[in-house]
Amino acid sequence: KAGVTQTPRYLIKTRGQQVTLSCSPISGHRSVSWYQQTPGQGLQFLFEYFSETQRNKGNFPGRFSGRQFSNSRSEMNVSTLELGDSALYLCASSPRDPRTDTQYFGPGTRLTVL
Amino acid sequence: EDQVTQSPEALRLQEGESSSLNCSYTVSGLRGLFWYRQDPGKGPEFLFTLYSAGEEKEKERLKATLTKKESFLHITAPKPEDSATYLCAVQANQGGKLIFGQGTELSVKP
């Protein structure tokens, strides 16, 4: 079974631009969560989607948004990029509900903001 | 506030030298404690889930245990391929988000 896939794997943007990252969960999984990983803060929760509905949101500014499609694929968007947004963005999928199932992570998208 | 603390931050072992990693947590109602392994440039790889105090799980050279306040990841006779960052995370009863510790970077020298 194929794992979680994320595209693109690497991205370089400049301050003020916006970016969209994509995540395809494991086949049959309906729940997707997003995390940001930085050397200073570690892994921090961004959002959680289940059946196209945002179920939970972390403590990030409104510049960070996401959505989930009917095929369970998910995208996250960051507008007006800041230098501090440089990070590894990780997507995790679980079979039904992340509150009851193990989350499996993708390889991440490495975003660099110049 | 829910919190996870891992120690040590870094651990250097010789091949075959057994040791343990610690994960201390405070959470308002624990649903599960998770261990992941992360190699450089890759996403975390799931290892174990523990749900209740006293529970133990094993996989090859790794054994995870859980008490009411902490979890240990025991590594028996490690090999160089066990070198990675080991992440501990907790999930509270009311939410799906994982709260991660900062990780322990393990290096095993031949």
Side-chain angles (χ1 to χ4, degrees):
Chain A
K1 206 180 222 183
V4 177
T5 57
Q6 293 187 244
T7 57
R9 292 293 312 280
Y10 303 92
L11 207 49
I12 299 175
K13 293 285 187 179
T14 56
R15 279 184 300 173
Q17 287 187 308
Q18 75 165 18
V19 67
T20 299
L21 312 182
S22 181
C23 170
S24 292
I26 293 170
S27 178
H29 285 197
R30 294 173 59 191
S31 180
V32 171
S33 297
W34 288 88
Y35 294 82
Q36 180 196 65
Q37 186 175 29
T38 59
Q41 299 297 319
L43 273 140
Q44 293 188 290
F45 171 77
L46 280 159
F47 348 87
E48 164 199 329
Y49 287 91
F50 178 67
S51 293
E52 302 177 66
T53 301
Q54 187 179 92
R55 298 282 289 270
N56 203 353
K57 190 176 191 301
N59 296 324
F60 281 82
R63 301 184 296 106
F64 292 81
S65 62
R67 59 179 176 168
Q68 186 180 34
F69 302 96
S70 58
N71 61 358
S72 296
R73 192 177 68 85
S74 178
E75 289 182 347
M76 68 163 282
N77 184 77
V78 188
S79 62
T80 319
L81 284 166
E82 300 177 359
L83 295 178
D85 296 334
S86 294
L88 181 67
Y89 289 88
L90 292 159
C91 168
S93 79
S94 61
R96 295 187 307 278
D97 187 331
R99 292 177 295 182
T100 60
D101 290 323
T102 297
Q103 296 179 35
Y104 297 90
F105 284 84
T109 294
R110 171 73 63 186
L111 172 64
T112 302
V113 182
L114 303 176
Chain B
E1 183 184 346
D2 299 338
Q3 193 170 347
V4 177
T5 303
Q6 292 188 245
S7 61
E9 290 184 10
L11 182 62
R12 290 189 173 188
L13 300 174
Q14 288 296 125
E15 185 172 2
E17 179 186 2
S18 301
S19 188
S20 296
L21 313 183
N22 177 263
C23 171
S24 298
Y25 64 90
T26 53
V27 64
S28 52
L30 179 71
R31 184 195 86 74
L33 185 141
F34 301 80
W35 282 99
Y36 288 86
R37 166 193 170 131
Q38 186 173 28
D39 293 297
K42 296 187 176 182
E45 175 190 345
F46 171 71
L47 293 173
F48 305 108
T49 308
L50 301 167
Y51 294 103
S52 57
E55 189 174 1
E56 299 182 351
K57 287 192 177 173
E58 288 188 64
K59 179 181 179 180
E60 296 180 355
R61 295 177 292 282
L62 301 176
K63 178 180 177 180
T65 62
L66 180 65
T67 72
K68 288 186 177 180
K69 293 185 177 181
E70 58 190 349
S71 176
F72 292 94
L73 184 64
H74 307 279
I75 302 177
T76 302
K79 298 182 177 181
E81 53 261 42
D82 295 321
S83 298
T85 295
Y86 290 85
L87 296 164
C88 171
V90 297
Q91 188 177 55
N93 280 330
Q94 66 269 29
K97 70 176 183 180
L98 296 176
I99 301 162
F100 282 87
Q102 294 285 46
T104 293
E105 186 178 352
L106 174 66
S107 174
V108 182
K109 300 299 182 185

